């Protein structure tokens, strides 16, 4: 094991990235120059220069995506895997018997049954692949809600019992959530990292195929210079219309973008924080995250840790490979637009923080580019917004000039082109051609279009998905702009649990979150139409239409019923729905139906139920330092009832073995009926007394 | 010591009669407490023999006690937990844990099921340090490094001697 000094792919990668830079910069500059010619005599300098600068920047950004897709498409059509020397797929080695992999699953206030189902599916798949001997699982909980914590413990013990996996599935709950998910993984590395040469990081909704995991282990064993191997997780399992659209888009367009990305990145790849295998020793040594000076949101602990961890790994000489050809890696997408935007809010802050690392000593250029690219995915929104405002001002100025300075309302006479058509055409090509390339790639593969519901349904799905994307774009622009402004103004976000189930957005919520944007769209339409005239206004319809329709879009796309309807009509079908892989079949609700359910308040149950109390108590230790406080809380619980304890107080009691035993005995020894009733104990004695 | 049903006689006559009457009195006087004990035992996956034996132990301990209210309940449950502990020859929590996990009571993990479960939950800790390394993020320093690298590269290029064909 060790870092390699001679890296044959490096020169090739540099060469490829020079070409990418050329493809991005030259057309952007060319387009800018052509726009100069159009605007030069028609706009004043104060309007022309910012319009041009933003145009070139945005053009360059979307052309980066376009060229990535083009390269990916060519590679896939040629049907040859990347044969660059140093490619980890080319060097597989059978794992040594002593090679151990920890599969870590950090969780935070998650739906426990779903987590258990995912873990069980992965476990069984590994068992089926005959590779279980190398792997151990760690459920790393940062859960603060005592009710969920207790469920986690109970489910863990039941899962171990049913799979006969005691000693192979472990559970750890951190009492303090320092540095959120990255801190949780770091805590694992500090405690048990030495025991495991590799670790696979999963999200709470991740599922992985056993053979894929074993293949990743083989790659790590055969490539001692590799620090991280990242798979491309496929979005599956959701039923809301919104999520199905995302799933479909990811399955259809994802492969060409992934192939292209891999072509540029090679051993300077990215890491998305889950569904990846990492070499534990270098990760522990080099990937502890710096805390940025200053306060959140731009200072303090890094909110998006994964890109930085990959950058630090590469900085210390280890290779990071993105291997999209590894199948059998799954995740779930947010079910609704609101949930997606909540996640974007965190990512926006995290990605903007990355800009403060840009000048970091020793970071590789490819990772600096990833930082910029990540930040641009959010900064592009306000830039686009400014560009539109400048465009509207330009149109107004242009119209004024054409009318010799007299601005008239409802002026229909001026019907000149408001925008050069070539600009529109090029932009459309850059944005939409990857979608057509993806469809061509699917059609080119034998039998693949049937996995998307057949050719007609595939094309129809692509059409509706594109329409939806166009309508969604201004909504995202508005929200992302808001996120960027909030972050720059110093308003940070807190770490929150994620919604994993298919939950509908009510109309009330839709109005609460999106009402302002719908109102903005309507107001702008009413305001701009008289000034711009019909022809100019038509150009703004996709933008204003998307904004105006924000409320119904958010509400309707969150409906699982609409998603199921689409599926029945074979729209937005993905290959995993046509041929369901065994590990996804194992995710069905029935698969974890045997897990114990806690009726009522779990805190009461853990105190009262002798079996549940035994499991929980066995897992705690005596916290003598907390005893004076815990004793008072025990008295409070017994005198006033458990309902009077808040979550913090419950956590104190639940963490102390002695308190839990004392409470258990005291409750069962209580003679007072009212107090007993507070703990849910009555029945038999009443019957006896009545008799 | 715990006895299963085969250890008990089937005929409570003779010398056992006195004890039986005494026990019946205790049961009658402490019906409420014993109902609570039964309710507790119903929540454990006990075999019938285990349940009877535990109940008997509680009744024996209640014999001759002069208590009422919570003290009586506390006495009954202390007796029950002592009896449960006897089942595993150890701690009552171990016994309850064995019953929860459907393990033979006291028959596995040397009667130390709690410790065993803790080890299954979290293996032995082998500490290693993981601290963030210093990252120089200064833009000035970055610019200086860039200039230096450009100069160094130029120097490197100029330092390479041209190799002509035939020149070793």
């Amino acid at each position: 094991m060790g870092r390699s000094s001679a890296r044959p792919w490096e020169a090739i990668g540099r060469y490829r990235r020079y070409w990418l830079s050329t493809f991005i910069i030259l057309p952007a500059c060319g387009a800018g120059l052509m726009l100069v010619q159009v605007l030069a005599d028609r706009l004043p300098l104060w309007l022309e220069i910012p319009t041009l600068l933003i145009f070139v920047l945005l053009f360059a950004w979307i052309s980066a995506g376009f060229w990535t897709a083009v390269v990916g498409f060519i590679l896939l059509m040629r049907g040859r895997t990347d044969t660059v020397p140093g490619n980890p797929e080319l060097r597989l080695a059978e794992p040594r018997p002593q090679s151990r992999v920890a599969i870590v699953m950090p969780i935070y206030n998650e739906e426990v049954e779903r987590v258990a189902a995912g873990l069980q599916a992965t476990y069984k798949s590994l068992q089926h692949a005959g590779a279980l001997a190398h792997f151990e699982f760690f459920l790393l909980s940062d859960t603060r809600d005592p009710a969920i914590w207790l469920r986690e413990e109970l489910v863990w013990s039941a899962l171990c019992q049913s799979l006969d996996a005691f000693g192979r599935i472990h559970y750890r709950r951190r009492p303090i959530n320092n540095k959120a998910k990255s801190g949780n993984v770091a805590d694992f590395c500090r405690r048990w990292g030495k025991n495991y040469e590799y670790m696979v990081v999963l999200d709470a909704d991740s599922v992985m195929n056993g053979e894929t995991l074993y293949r990743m282990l083989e790659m790590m064993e055969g490539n001692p210079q590799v620090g991280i191997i990242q798979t491309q997780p496929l979005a599956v399992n959701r039923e809301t219309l919104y999520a199905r659209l995302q799933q479909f888009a990811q399955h259809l367009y994802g492969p060409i973008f992934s192939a292209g990305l891999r072509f540029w990145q090679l051993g300077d790849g990215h890491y998305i924080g889950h569904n990846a295998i990492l070499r534990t020793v270098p990760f522990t040594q080099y990937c502890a995250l710096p805390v940025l000076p200053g306060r959140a949101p731009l200072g303090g602990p890094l909110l998006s840790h994964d890109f930085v961890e990959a950058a630090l790994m590469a900085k210390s000489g280890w290779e990071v490979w993105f291997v999209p050809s590894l199948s059998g890696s799954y995740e779930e997408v947010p079910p609704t637009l609101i949930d997606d935007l909540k996640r974007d809010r965190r990512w926006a802050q995290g990605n903007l923080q990355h800009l403060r690392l840009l000048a970091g000593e020793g970071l590789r250029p490819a990772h600096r580019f990833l930082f910029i690219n990540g930040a641009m995915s959010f900064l592009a929104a306000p830039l686009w917004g400014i560009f539109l405002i400048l465009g509207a001002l330009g149109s107004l100025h242009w119209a004024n000039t054409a009318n010799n300075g007299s601005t008239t309302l409802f002026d229909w006479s001026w019907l000149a082109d408001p925008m050069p058509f070539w600009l529109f055409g090029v932009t459309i090509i850059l944005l939409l051609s990857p979608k057509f390339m993806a469809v061509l790639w699917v059609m080119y593969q034998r039998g693949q279009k049937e996995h998307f519901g057949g050719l007609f349904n595939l094309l129809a799905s692509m059409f509706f998905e594109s329409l939806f994307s166009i309508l969604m774009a201004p909504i995202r622009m508005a929200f992302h702009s808001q996120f960027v402004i909030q972050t720059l103004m110093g308003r940070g976000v807190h770490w929150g649990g994620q919604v994993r189930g298919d939950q509908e957005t009510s109309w009330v919520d839709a109005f609460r979150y999106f009402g302002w944007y719908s109102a903005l769209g309507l107001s702008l339409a009413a305001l701009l139409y008289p000034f711009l005239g019909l022809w100019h206004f038509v150009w703004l319809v996709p933008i204003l239409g998307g904004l105006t329709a924000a409320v119904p879009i958010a509400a309707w796309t969150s409906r699982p019923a609409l998603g199921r309807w689409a599926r029945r009509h074979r729209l937005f079908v993905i290959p995993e729905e046509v041929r369901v892989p065994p590990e996804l079949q194992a995710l069905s609700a029935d698969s974890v139906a045997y897990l114990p359910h806690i009726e009522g308040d779990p805190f009461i149950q853990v105190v009262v139920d002798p079996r549940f109390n035994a499991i929980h108590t066995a897992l705690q230790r005596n916290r003598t330092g907390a005893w004076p406080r815990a004793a008072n809380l025990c008295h409070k619980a017994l005198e006033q009832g458990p309902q009077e304890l808040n979550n913090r107080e419950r956590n104190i009691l639940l963490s102390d073995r002695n308190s839990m035993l004392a409470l258990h005995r005291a409750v069962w020894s209580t003679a007072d009926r009212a107090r007993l009733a507070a703990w849910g104990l009555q029945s038999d004695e009443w019957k006896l007394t009545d008799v | 010591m715990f006895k299963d049903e085969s250890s008990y006689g089937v005929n409570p006559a003779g010398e056992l009669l006195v004890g039986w009457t005494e026990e019946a009195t205790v049961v009658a006087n402490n019906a409420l407490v014993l109902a609570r004990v039964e309710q507790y035992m119903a929540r454990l996956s006990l075999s019938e023999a285990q349940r009877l034996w535990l109940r008997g132990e509680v009744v024996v301990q209640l014999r001759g006690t002069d208590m009422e209210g919570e003290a009586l309940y506390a006495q009954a449950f202390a007796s029950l937990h002592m009896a449960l502990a006897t089942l595993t020859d150890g701690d009552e929590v171990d016994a309850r844990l064995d019953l929860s996990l459907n393990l033979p009571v006291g028959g596995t993990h040397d009667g130390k099921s709690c410790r065993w479960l803790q080890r299954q939950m979290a293996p032995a800790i082998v500490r290693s340090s993981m601290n963030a390394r210093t990252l120089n993020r200064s833009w000035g320093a970055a610019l200086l490094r860039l200039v230096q690298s450009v100069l160094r590269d130029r120097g490197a290029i100029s330092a390479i001697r041209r190799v002509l064909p035939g020149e070793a």
Side-chain angles (χ1 to χ4, degrees):
Chain A
M1 185 175 76
R3 286 171 281 178
S4 141
S5 51
R7 305 207 281 189
W9 54 266
E10 233 174 342
I12 300 169
R14 207 177 299 127
Y15 182 71
R16 288 178 180 181
R17 287 172 212 150
Y18 285 149
W19 273 108
L20 174 66
S21 309
T22 311
F23 282 138
I24 292 172
I25 294 167
L26 283 185
C29 292
L33 282 174
M34 289 171 83
L35 193 66
V36 168
Q37 289 174 349
V38 176
L39 300 180
D41 302 328
R42 295 172 181 172
L43 291 185
L45 213 57
W46 64 267
L47 212 52
E48 187 188 339
I49 290 175
T51 307
L52 266 173
L53 283 177
I54 294 174
F55 170 76
V56 169
L57 205 60
L58 289 176
F59 194 95
W61 194 63
I62 57 172
S63 64
F66 169 77
W67 287 112
T68 302
V70 167
V71 168
F73 178 66
I74 294 169
L75 284 174
L76 291 177
M77 290 298 273
R78 280 175 64 195
R80 274 172 45 190
T81 50
D82 205 344
T83 50
V84 168
N87 178 351
E89 291 115 300
L90 298 177
R91 281 199 306 238
L92 304 180
E94 194 175 332
R96 292 156 292 139
Q98 70 272 25
S99 295
R100 294 175 76 196
V101 185
I103 298 182
V104 300
M105 193 184 253
I107 51 175
Y108 175 69
N109 287 346
E110 303 285 349
E111 190 189 318
V112 185
E113 282 73 21
R114 171 62 189 82
V115 171
L119 196 147
Q120 180 179 262
T122 308
Y123 185 95
K124 283 185 173 173
S125 184
L126 265 173
Q127 206 168 27
H128 187 70
L132 200 54
H134 293 287
F135 294 85
E136 280 180 37
F137 289 74
F138 281 82
L139 262 175
L140 304 175
S141 171
D142 259 339
T143 297
R144 307 314 308 151
D145 184 339
I148 301 177
W149 167 25
L150 293 171
R151 277 198 193 96
E152 285 171 2
E153 277 183 354
L154 200 60
V155 162
W156 166 75
S157 67
L159 202 62
C160 290
Q161 250 184 294
S162 90
L163 297 171
D164 192 18
F166 278 116
R168 202 161 280 287
I169 301 178
H170 307 287
Y171 174 80
R172 144 99 173 141
R173 178 179 167 271
R174 276 203 304 171
I176 298 166
N177 304 142
N178 186 25
K179 288 191 181 177
K181 181 182 167 184
S182 63
N184 200 356
V185 175
D187 180 71
F188 164 81
C189 292
R190 288 191 190 102
R191 286 169 169 260
W192 298 294
K194 265 188 185 167
N195 290 339
Y196 303 91
E197 206 168 325
Y198 312 107
M199 63 175 176
V200 173
V201 183
L202 297 185
D203 248 5
D205 55 13
S206 297
V207 177
M208 286 199 76
N209 175 280
E211 284 175 20
T212 305
L213 284 167
Y214 189 71
R215 179 59 53 85
M216 288 160 79
L217 174 58
E218 284 180 323
M219 283 184 193
M220 287 304 248
E221 288 279 276
N223 298 274
Q225 78 288 359
V226 172
I228 300 176
I229 289 177
Q230 173 68 59
T231 65
Q232 173 62 63
L234 296 173
V236 290
N237 262 357
R238 282 271 177 257
E239 292 212 314
T240 63
L241 182 62
Y242 180 83
R244 289 184 60 76
L245 283 157
Q246 305 295 319
Q247 284 176 185
F248 172 76
Q250 200 224 36
H251 277 78
L252 183 61
Y253 317 135
I256 62 167
F257 281 104
S258 297
L261 204 58
R262 158 63 187 265
F263 182 80
W264 308 125
Q265 289 183 336
L266 296 178
D268 284 327
H270 65 279
Y271 164 52
I272 58 169
H274 57 93
N275 294 45
I277 189 166
L278 300 96
R279 201 174 290 275
T280 317
V281 170
F283 185 81
T284 311
Q285 275 181 352
Y286 303 111
C287 296
L289 296 175
V291 176
L292 294 172
R295 285 188 304 175
L298 290 175
L302 287 159
L303 214 61
S304 294
H305 56 96
D306 33 30
F307 274 33
V308 183
E309 284 161 351
L312 293 175
M313 186 70 100
K315 172 181 177 277
S316 53
W318 297 85
E319 295 174 15
V320 180
W321 286 84
F322 171 46
V323 185
S325 60
L326 280 167
S327 58
S329 172
Y330 307 100
E331 65 170 349
E332 290 177 358
V333 287
T336 67
L337 178 57
I338 291 181
D339 298 313
D340 203 3
L341 288 170
K342 280 180 186 168
R343 189 179 68 172
D344 279 355
R345 175 69 183 89
R346 289 196 304 274
W347 284 0
Q349 184 175 324
N351 289 7
L352 290 176
Q353 278 182 322
H354 292 169
L355 292 179
R356 296 189 64 189
L357 300 173
L358 266 184
E361 187 177 2
L363 294 181
R364 295 180 64 80
H367 286 106
R368 291 184 212 272
F369 176 77
L370 281 177
F371 287 162
I372 294 171
N373 196 45
M376 263 309 282
S377 54
F378 291 97
L379 287 172
L383 286 176
W384 185 34
I386 295 170
F387 184 69
L388 286 174
I389 293 168
L390 291 173
L393 286 175
S395 291
L396 205 59
H397 181 85
W398 202 344
N400 271 338
T401 318
N403 290 327
N404 298 322
S406 61
T407 309
T408 52
L409 290 180
F410 304 104
D411 181 7
W412 293 72
S413 61
W414 193 78
L415 286 170
D417 294 343
M419 176 198 276
F421 273 105
W422 65 264
L423 175 62
F424 180 70
V426 169
T427 311
I428 289 295
I429 287 171
L430 290 182
L431 289 174
L432 293 186
S433 59
K435 294 180 188 259
F436 288 100
M437 285 189 254
V439 171
L440 279 176
W441 160 237
V442 168
M443 287 164 63
Y444 179 75
Q445 298 169 89
R446 186 174 295 167
Q448 188 64 7
K449 54 184 177 294
E450 283 72 31
H451 290 163
F452 286 91
L455 183 60
F456 176 76
N457 290 309
L458 170 65
L459 292 172
S461 301
M462 190 197 81
F463 172 77
F464 287 121
E465 190 280 327
S466 303
L467 193 68
F468 172 77
S469 301
I470 290 168
L471 287 174
M472 279 294 304
I475 304 173
R476 281 191 191 281
M477 176 195 73
F479 271 93
H480 286 185
S481 304
Q482 183 192 332
F483 298 159
V484 170
I485 292 166
Q486 281 177 341
T487 306
L488 294 178
M489 285 174 70
R491 284 178 59 186
V493 283
H494 296 290
W495 188 35
Q498 293 187 44
V499 176
R500 309 278 185 193
D502 286 322
Q503 291 172 9
E504 285 188 17
T505 303
S506 67
W507 282 99
V508 175
D509 281 340
F511 269 104
R512 193 153 58 94
Y513 284 100
F514 300 97
W516 286 107
Y517 294 102
S518 287
L520 179 72
L522 276 174
S523 315
L524 281 176
L527 190 75
L528 291 175
Y529 181 77
F531 284 102
L532 297 179
L534 179 66
W535 181 234
H536 288 248
F537 186 75
V538 165
W539 293 91
L540 291 176
V541 165
I543 295 154
L544 298 179
L547 270 183
T548 308
V551 171
I553 285 178
W556 282 330
T557 55
S558 73
R559 303 281 181 265
L562 270 179
R564 285 191 285 267
W565 178 88
R567 188 175 175 176
R568 274 198 304 279
H569 291 80
R570 303 180 71 75
L571 287 172
F572 317 122
V573 173
I574 56 172
E576 278 70 18
E577 290 171 343
V578 175
R579 187 176 294 169
V580 187
E583 54 274 16
L584 294 185
Q585 284 173 14
L587 271 184
S588 67
D590 299 344
S591 65
V592 285
Y594 68 86
L595 291 177
H597 290 278
I598 304 173
E599 299 292 335
D601 185 345
F603 178 76
I604 293 178
Q605 292 306 314
V606 79
V607 170
V608 173
D609 189 279
R611 287 175 303 171
F612 190 8
N613 179 267
I615 292 173
H616 176 75
T617 307
L619 299 177
Q620 309 310 313
R621 55 191 175 86
N622 285 327
R623 296 181 192 278
T624 47
W627 277 356
R629 178 90 201 274
N632 285 335
L633 292 174
C634 277
H635 281 293
K636 184 180 173 183
L638 290 168
E639 291 297 322
Q640 299 171 22
Q643 293 80 6
E644 296 303 314
L645 297 176
N646 60 33
N647 277 356
R648 191 179 155 74
E649 291 170 335
R650 287 178 176 207
N651 274 332
I652 292 171
L653 287 177
L654 287 167
S655 305
D656 179 41
R657 177 190 169 96
N658 205 32
S659 300
M660 289 314 292
L661 284 176
L663 259 182
H664 177 68
R665 288 164 188 159
V667 166
W668 279 99
S669 305
T670 302
D672 185 80
R673 286 181 178 189
R675 280 200 269 155
L676 265 181
W679 292 94
L681 279 176
Q682 43 218 58
S683 63
D684 290 351
E685 291 172 47
W686 305 126
K687 286 176 203 164
L688 261 177
T689 319
D690 291 344
V691 169
Chain B
M1 190 63 197
F2 168 65
K3 297 175 183 176
D4 66 13
E5 57 262 74
S6 62
S7 312
Y8 290 98
V10 289
N11 183 6
E15 73 273 15
L16 289 174
L17 187 62
V18 180
W20 181 81
T21 320
E22 206 174 335
E23 185 177 318
T25 317
V26 173
V27 169
N29 290 342
N30 299 290
L32 280 175
V33 178
L34 287 173
R36 175 86 60 82
V37 169
E38 286 287 355
Q39 195 183 354
Y40 185 89
M41 288 193 296
R43 291 174 180 239
L44 294 165
S45 313
L46 293 163
S47 68
E48 188 59 13
Q50 285 169 335
R51 193 187 66 76
L52 283 172
W53 183 78
L54 288 170
R55 190 176 188 279
E57 288 296 303
V58 174
V59 169
V60 168
Q61 291 298 321
L62 288 178
R63 205 179 285 168
T65 51
D66 184 22
M67 294 176 187
E68 57 184 25
E70 293 206 353
L72 187 62
Y73 280 102
Q75 167 70 24
F77 274 92
S79 312
L80 178 64
H81 284 156
M82 264 172 51
L84 269 170
T86 313
L87 276 181
T88 49
D89 285 337
D91 197 301
E92 56 97 7
V93 188
D94 288 316
R96 282 197 279 138
L97 188 62
D98 285 346
L99 291 166
S100 312
L101 300 175
N102 298 322
L103 300 170
V105 181
T108 45
H109 318 121
D110 204 17
K112 306 275 185 248
S113 298
C114 287
R115 199 169 294 171
W116 170 81
L117 190 68
Q118 274 179 355
R119 279 200 300 269
Q120 305 314 305
M121 182 181 73
I125 295 170
V126 189
R127 289 215 176 267
S128 47
S129 73
M130 184 174 180
N131 296 320
R133 288 163 182 253
T134 316
L135 183 69
N136 183 1
R137 296 180 301 105
S138 153
W139 281 96
L143 199 66
L144 201 64
R145 283 196 302 273
L146 184 72
V147 172
Q148 280 173 344
S149 72
V150 169
L151 291 176
R152 196 176 52 230
D153 286 350
R154 280 191 59 181
I157 290 164
S158 62
I160 295 170
R161 283 182 55 210
R162 279 180 180 277
V163 180
L164 299 171
E167 193 177 8

